[in-house]
Amino acid sequence: MRNLITTIAGLLFATMPALALEPGGTVTGTIDGQEVELTVYAQQSDHGNSHISLYIIGEALGERGLGALALGAEWIGDLDGTFSHAEVSIENHANPLRIYFGEADEGLSFMLTSFSFTGNMLEINCRVAGVLTKMDRIGQKNPDPDDTLSIDLTFDAVLEKL
């Protein structure tokens, strides 16, 4: 009888879906007031002991003449919602030497809503809002205050540790 119960329990557990986290995620919100739904590209997004890096792609960017969106944030000590640096950039297809860029030190708002660690995975939810300014890609020089993008985006992602 004990063997029968063990066998049935084993079969039940074997047929249940795995609960493992998979890298990737979604980004929703607005770019210049227009709704977007984008994808966190798992192969280029990760986390370390003191940073997160997200690489975002999606048709909603290409339709606006934009390329990939990148978000990076760094912290000191434990991840608690306080960031020493955060920045967002969006490539510009029309001029690959120029990007839209913003950082927390210049008014970009970066808020951590929730996070949890499971093994080498970081499940994170954050919101970034503010204005990105077009400037040189290398060195973030020569900003054009007349060419900006407003963003208000929520990131739900699972990142694998480097």
Side-chain angles (χ1 to χ4, degrees):
M1 183 66 155
R2 183 177 291 173
N3 286 342
L4 180 61
I5 292 173
T6 302
T7 302
I8 291 172
L11 289 173
L12 286 174
F13 285 118
T15 60
M16 293 177 74
L19 299 176
L21 295 175
E22 291 293 325
T26 59
V27 177
T28 56
T30 60
I31 296 178
D32 265 355
Q34 298 181 6
E35 294 288 326
V36 294
E37 186 170 327
L38 306 167
T39 301
V40 175
Y41 187 61
Q43 288 79 0
Q44 294 292 320
S45 301
D46 55 43
H47 79 96
N49 292 334
S50 63
H51 80 277
I52 58 172
S53 176
L54 289 97
Y55 188 80
I56 315 301
I57 56 176
E59 289 180 27
L61 292 168
E63 292 168 356
R64 292 167 176 77
L66 303 171
L69 183 154
L71 178 143
E74 299 173 346
W75 62 87
I76 297 170
D78 294 329
L79 177 58
D80 64 2
T82 304
F83 294 91
S84 59
H85 183 76
E87 64 184 42
V88 172
S89 64
I90 302 178
E91 296 175 5
N92 182 0
H93 281 318
N95 187 344
L97 300 177
R98 305 277 286 168
I99 60 171
Y100 288 96
F101 180 81
E103 58 187 330
D105 296 343
E106 300 294 325
L108 193 67
S109 170
F110 187 80
M111 298 154 285
L112 181 66
T113 307
S114 66
F115 71 94
S116 64
F117 291 98
T118 304
N120 67 340
M121 300 293 198
L122 168 61
E123 190 171 5
I124 190 166
N125 176 276
C126 56
R127 181 173 174 229
V128 63
V131 176
L132 307 180
T133 304
K134 195 173 200 180
M135 61 185 61
D136 292 344
R137 181 178 187 162
I138 297 172
Q140 287 82 42
K141 297 178 184 174
N142 303 314
D144 181 354
D146 296 327
D147 193 351
T148 62
L149 288 175
S150 63
I151 61 169
D152 189 348
L153 302 169
T154 299
F155 297 79
D156 294 299
V158 175
L159 307 174
E160 191 166 14
K161 191 167 186 175
L162 289 173

